[in-house]
């Protein structure tokens, strides 16, 4: 307990205490206990922010897991310069998110942006990207995935490397092809790592803030107004922190429910299929 005390104290001061303070602040207004802050959550802007956040996560979370796992499978093989490729894919995680966001904002700039220049080479007309209500949210997904996919990939590579080689070798001897070994042996054995990546990506993407704040500020037409940015706007733009505390509390509760469902769905045997042979 003596050795654990500094870590536990840090956890209490930086995580638990702010969470409790947020919960209490959302239930108070002018020193009195009230539910007025939660009643304000019925506003159209917050409801639309919740819908946008759920849609955003319903698309980006599975996409990040699939892409991360595909990269992990490829880069866990014996390939030329595989270490270099892993480093390059992981490298965006070492760049501050604000810097990455600014760079991508330049790439996606309408007219003279690099992406539009590349599209023009193949005959595709200029796209509005960050100024389009139908495209801006997908651009935010690309930026968030570029930052996070390499990080999640490293966890999955570690899981794949821990799969006993004798199991895949035995399946190969019995005639199982590469795809069959991947589906029936490797993937079930990395279920825990996949569960962790899915949960961690869900939490990170529900709390996503920097790309929205730097590039779109919730626009255009509220198409990228995620709940985190809505709470920020309520607290620091409108100067009304009470509803912002309530919004954050609802967001955390929503994430907790979704994570619990994910754990439930991902629960299963950690051993490979018994009938691999």
């Amino acid at each position: 307990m003596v050795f654990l005390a500094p870590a536990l104290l840090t956890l209490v001061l930086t995580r638990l205490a702010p969470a409790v303070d947020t919960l209490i602040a959302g239930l108070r207004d002018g020193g009195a206990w009230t539910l007025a802050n939660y009643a304000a959550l019925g506003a159209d802007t917050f409801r639309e922010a919740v819908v946008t956040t759920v849609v955003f996560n319903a698309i980006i979370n599975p996409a990040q897991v699939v892409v991360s796992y595909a990269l992990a499978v490829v880069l866990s093989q014996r390939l030329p310069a595989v270490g270099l490729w892993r480093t390059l894919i992981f490298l965006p995680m070492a760049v501050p998110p604000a810097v990455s966001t600014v760079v991508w904002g330049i790439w996606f700039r309408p007219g003279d942006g690099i992406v539009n220049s590349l599209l023009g080479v193949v005959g595709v007309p200029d796209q509005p990207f960050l100024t389009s209500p139908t495209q801006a949210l997908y651009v935010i997904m690309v930026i968030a995935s570029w930052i996070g996919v390499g990080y999640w990939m490293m966890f999955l590579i570690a899981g794949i490397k821990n799969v006993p080689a004798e199991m895949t070798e035995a399946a190969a001897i019995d005639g199982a092809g590469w795809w069959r070994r991947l589906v029936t042996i490797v993937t079930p054995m990395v279920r825990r790592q996949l569960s962790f990546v899915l949960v961690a990506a869900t939490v990170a993407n529900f709390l996503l803030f920097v790309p929205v704040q730097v590039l779109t500020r919730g626009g255009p037409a509220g198409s990228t107004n995620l709940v985190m940015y809505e709470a920020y706007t309520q607290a620091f733009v409108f100067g009304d922190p009470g509803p912002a505390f309530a919004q954050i509390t609802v967001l955390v509760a929503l994430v907790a429910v979704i994570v619990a469902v994910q754990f439930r769905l991902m629960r299963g045997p950690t051993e490979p299929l018994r009938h691999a042979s």
Side-chain angles (χ1 to χ4, degrees):
M1 290 303 299
V2 172
F3 285 108
L4 288 175
L8 292 176
L9 181 61
T10 302
L11 178 66
V12 170
L13 293 178
T14 62
R15 298 300 179 112
L16 298 182
V20 173
D21 182 63
T22 298
L23 180 61
I24 294 175
L27 293 171
R28 296 181 68 83
D29 185 14
W33 295 98
T34 179
L35 293 176
N37 292 326
Y38 286 90
L41 299 183
D44 291 341
T45 54
F46 180 71
R47 292 202 308 269
E48 292 170 359
V50 170
V51 172
T52 302
T53 303
V54 171
V55 171
F56 176 81
N57 279 268
I59 298 173
I60 192 174
N61 294 332
Q64 285 190 351
V65 173
V66 170
V67 174
S68 299
Y69 190 45
L71 290 171
V73 170
V74 172
L75 296 180
S76 61
Q77 311 298 316
R78 296 179 180 178
L79 301 175
V82 66
L84 175 62
W85 288 112
R86 291 178 187 173
T87 302
L88 291 176
I89 294 174
F90 177 80
L91 192 60
M93 192 63 194
V95 180
V99 175
S100 300
T101 300
V102 170
V103 172
W104 275 103
I106 296 173
W107 275 57
F108 280 109
R109 190 163 51 194
D112 60 347
I114 294 177
V115 176
N116 269 322
S117 298
L118 294 175
L119 292 176
V121 173
V122 295
V124 178
D126 282 354
Q127 300 297 312
F129 291 126
L130 291 169
T131 59
S132 168
T134 59
Q135 296 181 7
L137 190 64
Y138 295 101
V139 174
I140 298 296
M141 292 181 191
V142 171
I143 297 172
S145 298
W146 185 81
I147 295 172
V149 159
Y151 185 63
W152 310 132
M153 177 195 71
M154 299 304 292
F155 291 99
L156 298 176
I157 288 177
I160 292 173
K161 290 294 186 181
N162 283 330
V163 176
E166 57 269 20
M167 301 184 74
T168 55
E169 291 171 359
I173 292 173
D174 287 341
W178 178 86
W179 178 256
R180 174 112 178 135
R181 296 197 301 272
L182 175 66
V183 172
T184 61
I185 295 178
V186 177
T187 301
M189 290 291 287
V190 297
R191 182 185 293 270
R192 290 184 179 180
Q193 288 82 1
L194 285 169
S195 298
F196 167 77
V197 167
L198 177 60
V199 169
T202 298
V203 174
N205 291 322
F206 262 97
L207 304 181
L208 188 71
F209 174 76
V210 173
V212 175
Q213 200 274 336
V214 172
L215 293 180
T216 64
R217 298 186 179 275
S223 60
T224 62
N225 189 30
L226 305 179
V227 174
M228 275 298 296
Y229 187 76
E230 172 66 18
Y232 164 82
T233 302
Q234 193 70 43
F236 296 102
V237 177
F238 298 150
D240 192 5
F245 284 126
Q247 290 173 359
I248 293 299
T249 301
V250 171
L251 177 62
V252 172
L254 178 62
V255 173
V257 170
I258 292 176
V259 166
V261 172
Q262 289 175 341
F263 271 124
R264 180 70 178 176
L265 294 177
M266 294 294 289
R267 184 183 302 170
T270 57
E271 296 298 326
L273 297 182
R274 300 172 184 172
H275 306 293
S277 61

